[in-house]
Amino acid sequence: MNRVAAIASRLAPTLNLRTTQIPCGSEPARDGVHPSTTILTGLLLCLITTTTLAAEPNLRIQSRLQPTDSVMVGGILELQLDVLTDSWFTDAPTLPVLKLPGALVLPPDGHAEHINQTLDGKSFNGMRYSYRITPNLPKGFDIPPLTVQATPGQASTQLSAQSQPLHFTAAKPPGFNPGEPVLVAQGLRFTQTIVNSATPLKVGDSITRQLTLQADGALAMALPAPSLADVTGLSRYPKDPHISTLDDGRGNFIGGQRIDSVTYRIDSEGRHELPPIVLKWWDASSQQTRTAQVPAVTFEAAASSAYKPVFSITEDLNKLGQQSRLHLSGHWLGLLALLLLVALASWFCRPFIQRAYIAAQARRRARQTAWLQSADCAWRQIPAQIDGKPAQLSALYLWARRRRLGLKLGNLDPRLQDLLRGCYSRQSTEDQALHQLKKSLATLQKQAEPRNAACPPALRPLNPVREKDFP
């Protein structure tokens, strides 16, 4: 309260309000607030409350039909929906979906007309949206109330309002039979375009007929499809129609457009004719029945000597079968199967074969090592060392050690003693002794076997000699 009083005190000079002077000695103001300030505060609170209540905006919906109550079957009836507020719109209103059984309804396309009106002495502004309705059946139609939601400026929540229900009647134009499609338009243009695949035309070529229908004041969905009948000697292949809306370049609706296209393949030679197409429609501007047509198309097709049926399935299958046929004799087939089995066996047996090869290599290396360390290997080297210049006896010593004969060669054979005397006596007869030794090698080997087989002595020698291997 004190804060409001302070605001009122500040506003008093601005509002040119007079305050009452309190004589000296009178009772002071309660809570330190002057009575004039209290009066000003009450007035300010009333003003704020009135402004707050007046700030809540209004939302109103108005609807009307153009024309008001009747329309021709196939024509356009416009439902105008006005969305008004005495404030402003912060966003586009949410419009309902309108569905009418037996009629085509084109909803608003987003374009709206800005309007201003005075209702109950207040100024309202808003937007006008248009639903375009084309009835397909001659009967009465009821348009239910439509609920529109919008958020005007200064509104605390989203507001909603409903339009009033409407009714109209659709009547069939005169001159149209029951079940016959009815086209109602302000103006109509019906044209055709012919495109040939070749010049001159021959059997197997094609010709395309394109029909364009433009209707002012008619929905594109309501435009009827032209009659495209079969023609003898031609195969017909229609395409999907192209339907679009016509406007004035600024988004304003003008009418509808439908483009139909059909391609004819020439199956036989001679003269062919595409029949004319007649379209009956109701002229809404003159209120009478009219017709529009495109002329017939006549052309000649020559025979083609190189022509073959497009769908010669039997011949194509025969050719494919001959080209893909494979001839294999029984001999080559068996050989191919054998090679396949060998390849599979090699693939699965590869680990076993590899392990067997590694084991064989290990055994061969072991045999080679055992041979190099045997006495026989050393014995084979003795003749070559005796014939060498100078002669050597290392292989003989190595053979004796490996045969367990000891290192005293003189104990083996008298010839070895002669060899030692010839090598180390004053009169050297080494060459002669070596020659005699080479001749007696066979006898030496035979004499060494019994000695090697004899039992070893019971006592070890008093002066043992360390055996030494010679390379």
Side-chain angles (χ1 to χ4, degrees):
M1 186 66 182
N2 293 334
R3 186 174 182 182
V4 175
I7 296 175
S9 299
R10 294 179 182 179
L11 292 177
T14 305
L15 298 176
N16 195 18
L17 297 176
R18 296 181 179 180
T19 59
T20 305
Q21 299 294 332
I22 301 177
C24 294
S26 61
E27 185 180 357
R30 192 173 187 180
D31 296 333
V33 180
H34 200 276
S36 61
T37 305
T38 304
I39 296 172
L40 182 59
T41 301
L43 295 175
L44 183 59
L45 291 176
C46 292
L47 180 61
I48 294 174
T49 304
T50 305
T51 305
T52 304
L53 294 176
E56 189 69 23
N58 294 327
L59 179 65
R60 295 190 181 184
I61 305 298
Q62 294 181 349
S63 60
R64 68 184 60 85
L65 295 174
Q66 295 292 339
T68 57
D69 55 356
S70 64
V71 67
M72 290 291 180
V73 173
I76 289 183
L77 182 72
E78 188 172 312
L79 170 62
Q80 296 179 353
L81 198 65
D82 297 341
V83 183
L84 303 171
T85 181
D86 56 355
S87 177
W88 67 89
F89 289 106
T90 60
D91 201 354
T94 303
L95 302 178
V97 178
L98 176 59
K99 294 183 179 180
L100 294 177
L104 297 176
V105 179
L106 181 64
D109 54 0
H111 295 84
E113 178 185 355
H114 292 272
I115 56 176
N116 296 305
Q117 292 184 11
T118 301
L119 303 176
D120 299 333
K122 293 184 180 181
S123 177
F124 283 80
N125 65 87
M127 291 168 286
R128 175 173 294 171
Y129 297 93
S130 297
Y131 292 82
R132 293 179 176 87
I133 304 171
T134 298
N136 296 327
L137 300 175
K139 67 173 187 176
F141 294 87
D142 293 320
I143 300 177
L146 302 178
T147 302
V148 179
Q149 295 179 347
T151 306
Q154 298 180 352
S156 57
T157 59
Q158 188 181 46
L159 305 181
S160 62
Q162 282 188 344
S163 64
Q164 63 273 22
L166 299 174
H167 176 83
F168 71 93
T169 303
K172 194 168 188 179
F176 287 86
N177 300 323
E180 184 179 4
V182 179
L183 173 58
V184 179
Q186 300 289 338
L188 189 136
R189 294 168 297 279
F190 192 29
T191 59
Q192 73 173 348
T193 303
I194 303 299
V195 179
N196 298 333
S197 64
T199 303
L201 292 173
K202 302 180 298 298
V203 175
D205 294 335
S206 62
I207 180 172
T208 301
R209 188 180 196 181
Q210 181 176 297
L211 303 173
T212 302
L213 175 61
Q214 294 179 341
D216 298 334
L219 296 182
M221 297 181 296
L223 298 181
S227 177
L228 300 173
D230 293 333
V231 180
T232 304
L234 304 177
S235 297
R236 181 172 60 93
Y237 299 96
K239 298 180 181 179
D240 295 335
H242 179 69
I243 301 175
S244 59
T245 300
L246 300 177
D247 55 32
D248 59 355
R250 299 181 180 179
N252 298 321
F253 174 81
I254 292 180
Q257 175 179 267
R258 180 188 177 101
I259 300 176
D260 292 270
S261 181
V262 60
T263 299
Y264 294 93
R265 191 192 71 229
I266 304 174
D267 296 334
S268 61
E269 61 178 324
R271 183 181 180 86
H272 302 278
E273 179 180 352
L274 303 181
I277 299 177
V278 180
L279 180 63
K280 185 169 62 173
W281 61 288
W282 176 260
D283 190 352
S285 59
S286 62
Q287 296 295 313
Q288 59 181 348
T289 303
R290 296 183 181 275
T291 58
Q293 69 174 6
V294 293
V297 179
T298 304
F299 59 92
E300 294 282 345
S304 178
S305 58
Y307 169 72
K308 295 182 180 180
V310 178
F311 301 102
S312 56
I313 299 178
T314 303
E315 184 177 353
D316 292 343
L317 291 177
N318 291 335
K319 290 182 179 180
L320 290 175
Q322 293 177 0
Q323 293 177 359
S324 60
R325 187 176 301 171
L326 182 63
H327 299 279
L328 290 176
S329 62
H331 173 73
W332 290 107
L333 186 60
L335 182 60
L336 181 62
L338 179 61
L339 292 176
L340 182 60
L341 290 177
V342 170
L344 292 176
S346 301
W347 174 262
F348 288 108
C349 297
R350 183 178 59 177
F352 304 99
I353 296 175
Q354 187 175 5
R355 287 196 293 269
Y357 175 76
I358 294 174
Q361 291 291 331
R363 288 193 297 271
R364 185 179 66 82
R365 287 193 296 269
R367 288 196 300 268
Q368 182 70 18
T369 302
W371 164 254
L372 294 176
Q373 296 177 356
S374 64
D376 292 340
C377 179
W379 178 262
R380 290 189 180 185
Q381 298 177 14
I382 294 176
Q385 289 188 358
I386 293 176
D387 294 337
K389 299 297 182 179
Q392 296 182 9
L393 297 178
S394 59
L396 181 62
Y397 281 99
L398 180 62
W399 170 76
R401 187 187 72 81
R402 291 179 177 177
R403 294 297 299 269
R404 307 282 183 186
L405 300 178
L407 296 179
K408 295 182 178 181
L409 299 179
N411 299 332
L412 298 179
D413 191 87
R415 295 181 182 81
L416 293 178
Q417 298 178 0
D418 296 340
L419 173 63
L420 296 176
R421 293 191 193 98
C423 293
Y424 301 105
S425 62
R426 295 180 179 179
Q427 297 180 355
S428 177
T429 58
E430 179 180 357
D431 294 339
Q432 183 178 2
L434 290 173
H435 182 69
Q436 293 295 330
L437 178 61
K438 184 176 181 181
K439 289 184 177 181
S440 61
L441 286 178
T443 304
L444 179 63
Q445 186 178 15
K446 291 180 180 181
Q447 291 179 355
E449 292 179 356
R451 291 176 179 268
N452 190 32
C455 295
L459 299 177
R460 298 180 64 184
L462 296 177
N463 298 316
V465 180
R466 182 180 179 182
E467 296 181 357
K468 184 178 181 181
D469 195 1
F470 294 92

